[in-house]
Amino acid sequence: MNIELLKESVEKWIDNYFKAKPEDENKNFEAMKYSLKVGGKRVRPILMILTYGMYKKDYREILPFAAALEMIHTYSLIHDDLPCMDNDDLRRGKPTNHKIYGEAVAVLAGDGLLNEAMIIMLDQCLDGSLNTIKASNIIAKASGAEGMIAGQICDILSEGIVISEEKLLYMHKNKTGQLIKAAVVCGAILGNADEDDLCYLKEYGDKLGLAFQIKDDILDVIGDVAILGKNTKGDESNNKTTFITMYGLEKCKQKCNDLTQECFEILNQITVNTKCLEEITESLLRREY
């Protein structure tokens, strides 16, 4: 599948969704759209679509789920950037949401995106399909207090102290890994994959999420701000334990390579054609932003 075409399809669906929303004087939808439209890799929706495409042909069937996943991710970024959290003023090469709309509106824009995502998924469940209900449940849990938010809480409470390797892994398994794994697993569920494949894809999603976060930590140290679209050394300025502070730069690079190879080995055990996932796995390892 053409990654750029998939990205455009997700963005078009999101654009059309918000065009149907009323113009609001309080700027809530405007603020929500701002953070969605300033760019981004769309990794999570693309992973979902690519996994679904291994089992079914028409990926347009799951664009609502893909868009909902991107809305949840974007809401988390808006909140992460707030002064009470990471206090960032640059995201995807543009001023962060609160720099444009103020902190209160930014909080509500994030809340709005999360709720719109849940509405979209619930609308999909109205057909009574067990697979759509399962996928919605997985995404909701991955986003919730025992998923992404658990990782975010751990991150906040760990500022300024040295944490253990176990705690660092727990933090990022939830904060970053949960939505990445959910994207893969839900793509497979919506594609009606069998249980053996689902087991392999859960393991693949865990390892891919970890590799993704280690790569993020690497880029936070050696990345180019102009390419990244966000400030570097943010974790250092917030005095956080990262994979770089835990392992060192060279070991992190090796861990990324090792995890990528492990992802390939898992994908090789799946009976359907996994070339599309192999290609995006490789590209995520080589990315510069």
Side-chain angles (χ1 to χ4, degrees), residues 17-206:
Y17 181 80
F18 280 102
K19 279 178 184 176
K21 297 296 181 183
E23 292 293 328
D24 57 333
E25 293 181 6
N26 61 19
K27 296 186 179 295
N28 191 27
F29 283 122
E30 181 185 318
M32 290 159 66
K33 288 186 287 186
Y34 171 79
S35 289
L36 282 167
K37 285 187 160 188
V38 294
K41 298 181 286 295
R42 313 301 192 207
V43 169
R44 291 149 192 83
I46 288 170
L47 279 169
M48 177 184 281
I49 292 169
L50 291 178
T51 308
Y52 178 87
M54 298 190 320
Y55 301 96
K56 291 190 176 179
K57 289 184 178 179
D58 190 0
Y59 70 85
R60 291 171 296 182
E61 294 290 329
I62 64 159
L63 281 175
F65 275 99
L69 197 58
E70 185 64 18
M71 289 182 194
I72 293 169
H73 174 57
T74 302
Y75 121 74
S76 75
L77 299 182
I78 293 173
H79 284 191
D80 270 351
D81 291 335
L82 289 168
C84 63
M85 294 183 71
D86 287 347
N87 195 23
D88 281 321
D89 56 13
L90 192 67
R91 172 70 69 175
R92 294 171 173 172
K94 301 289 184 181
T96 47
N97 198 289
H98 67 274
K99 287 293 181 181
I100 299 292
Y101 297 100
E103 291 179 43
V105 173
V107 169
L108 294 170
D111 294 344
L113 285 171
L114 175 60
N115 281 281
E116 290 300 319
M118 296 302 165
I119 290 166
I120 290 167
M121 292 192 296
L122 285 169
D123 282 344
Q124 296 302 299
C125 291
L126 293 175
D127 66 1
S129 164
L130 185 57
N131 283 343
T132 58
I133 295 169
K134 282 181 179 178
S136 299
N137 180 258
I138 287 170
I139 293 170
K141 285 182 176 178
S143 310
E146 294 182 277
M148 180 178 67
I149 293 173
Q152 290 172 318
I153 290 285
C154 183
D155 190 14
I156 289 168
L157 296 180
S158 298
E159 285 187 14
I161 61 173
V162 177
I163 62 173
S164 67
E165 181 181 30
E166 181 183 11
K167 195 165 188 179
L168 183 67
L169 290 168
Y170 168 85
M171 180 198 304
H172 291 302
K173 178 181 180 180
N174 287 292
K175 184 179 179 183
T176 303
Q178 285 281 8
L179 281 190
I180 288 176
K181 181 168 74 170
V184 173
V185 171
C186 291
I189 287 172
L190 293 166
N192 206 29
D194 64 34
E195 286 300 321
D196 285 344
D197 283 3
L198 283 175
C199 287
Y200 287 129
L201 288 167
K202 286 175 185 175
E203 186 180 0
Y204 163 79
D206 275 330

Side-chain angles (χ1 to χ4, degrees), residues 203-215 218 252-268 277-287:
E203 186 180 0
Y204 163 79
D206 275 330
K207 291 184 182 294
L208 185 67
L210 180 56
F212 188 93
Q213 181 59 52
I214 295 174
K215 182 69 176 186
I218 292 170
C252 281
K253 290 179 180 178
Q254 187 58 53
K255 279 187 171 292
C256 265
N257 281 306
D258 292 346
L259 285 163
T260 299
Q261 291 306 311
E262 289 170 22
C263 284
F264 292 149
E265 290 168 12
I266 294 166
L267 292 175
N268 285 337
L277 285 186
E278 291 168 25
E279 289 175 352
I280 194 170
T281 302
E282 180 71 24
S283 70
L284 290 176
L285 173 69
R286 306 298 175 199
R287 67 190 171 97

